[in-house]
Amino acid sequence: MNGTRVVVLGAGVVGAACARELSLAGFDVVVVDRGRPAGGTTSHGEGNLLVSDKAPGAELALARLSNRLWPRVLAEIAAEGPRAAAAAEFDAKGGIVVATTSAGAAALTAFAEAQAAAGVVTKSLTALEVAALEPALTRSVVAAVHYPEDAQVQPAGAALALLGSALAHGARLRADTEVVGAVVAGGRITGVRVPGAVIGADVVVNAAGPWAGIASGRLGAPIAVRPRRGEVLVTTPMPGVVRHKVYDADYVGAVGADSGELQTSAVVESTRGGTVLIGSSRRQVGFDDTLRPDVLGAIAEKALRLFPALAEAAVMRAYGGFRPYVDDHLPVVGPDPRLPNLWHATGHEGAGIGLSVGTALVLREMLTGVAPSCPVEEFTVDRPAVLS
């Protein structure tokens, strides 16, 4: 044990990954969460581990690093406890991005070529190949690209597997505990205040997801992370109908849109249990958790254009969650220049599941003075979108 005390704020997938990585490195870790582990954004996601939706740059590098790490991390957890690793339901099923218009096909082709130049494995598909891979997909496909590196996990199961491993390596959890302030001495954060107590720390990691902006404000170093809401429809089991993660090429534009107005695109995939997850939407409504029928209807309408067979599907539930949004659409990972000993690991928006293990690794590397395994300069806390 190196004796360094670390308080991780947030027991979602990013906080759990950070807790595990730091515990394995010998840090004395306490995870503090305002609710229950994986009970916030993590449990309201789809579990995507994607490279297909990221343009060349630092975030794509982080995604590729994370996708290489996920099988290794889960294998290590399986050696500790097979049931926990199995609950993560890792599935390297690959993704298919399709365009149904000529304009969309041109944009998709250019995007895929740029990704391939950056090292991503891509394969343009013919109409016959698309039909063989996804028989239920519409035949009105102008272009399609297969991304074999895309994968999926069950998000809550994956987060709990990471957290369980952290606890097995000495980390401690304080659930249902709200952080209300910071303890500062000599200009450095030395702990966090919770109701009736102080938790001492040599390092505090803000991994509170969409609540990271609130948490950072309470600590006296606010960052501009805001919630961006999304919804998902879930069908009854339909085994074999959808075989990959399939989405329309306009999904990338919806992710990157700066407007707070509703953005929807067709994103369809199945789970190991056979249910089909249908997304996606993005809108800025603060922490209003109302499920709106018009939003769900817009999601369903676009999904039906891709998979007409879903018209016969029975929707058994819908859910929504909040993604940690930053105006420049990049994660926030690194030390806070205003308050020494405070670090941030947030702002991943809808990519937090996939990017979690890579984020945890580069955080540990930076904390211990090791060169990061991928570029991190674009993720700094002192950039305009974060400190605006």
Side-chain angles (χ1 to χ4, degrees), residues 339-353:
L339 187 57
N341 296 349
L342 174 62
W343 291 64
H344 300 280
T346 183
H348 302 83
E349 201 173 336
I353 306 292

Side-chain angles (χ1 to χ4, degrees), residues 301-328:
E301 180 181 1
K302 289 195 173 181
L304 287 174
R305 295 176 191 170
L306 283 190
F307 286 92
L310 292 176
E312 304 301 320
V315 174
M316 64 178 180
R317 67 186 181 97
Y319 62 88
F322 303 104
R323 306 176 177 99
Y325 171 85
V326 180
D327 281 342
D328 63 5

Side-chain angles (χ1 to χ4, degrees), residues 13 41-50 67 70 88-91 93 150-158 232 245 269-271 277 319 350-355:
V13 69
T41 294
T42 296
S43 62
H44 295 90
E46 295 171 272
N48 294 319
L49 318 181
L50 303 183
N67 278 28
W70 267 108
E89 297 184 8
F90 177 80
D91 187 356
K93 63 185 177 182
D150 280 358
Q152 183 184 21
V153 292
Q154 204 292 328
V232 176
K245 178 184 178 69
E269 64 190 312
S270 61
T271 67
L277 307 180
Y319 62 88
I353 306 292
L355 299 180

Side-chain angles (χ1 to χ4, degrees), residues 99-186:
T100 56
T101 65
S102 296
L108 172 59
T109 300
F111 190 77
E113 288 175 350
Q115 289 178 302
V120 175
V121 180
T122 69
K123 182 181 187 299
S124 295
L125 301 174
T126 66
L128 287 176
E129 288 172 328
V130 172
L133 289 169
E134 290 289 345
L137 185 65
T138 177
R139 296 297 180 261
S140 301
V141 173
V142 181
V145 178
H146 180 219
Y147 288 87
E149 294 173 279
D150 280 358
Q152 183 184 21
V153 292
Q154 204 292 328
L160 293 175
L162 292 167
L163 182 60
S165 178
L167 297 177
H169 289 278
R172 301 177 304 286
L173 172 66
R174 292 191 59 161
D176 298 316
T177 302
E178 191 92 19
V179 171
V180 296
V183 179
V184 178

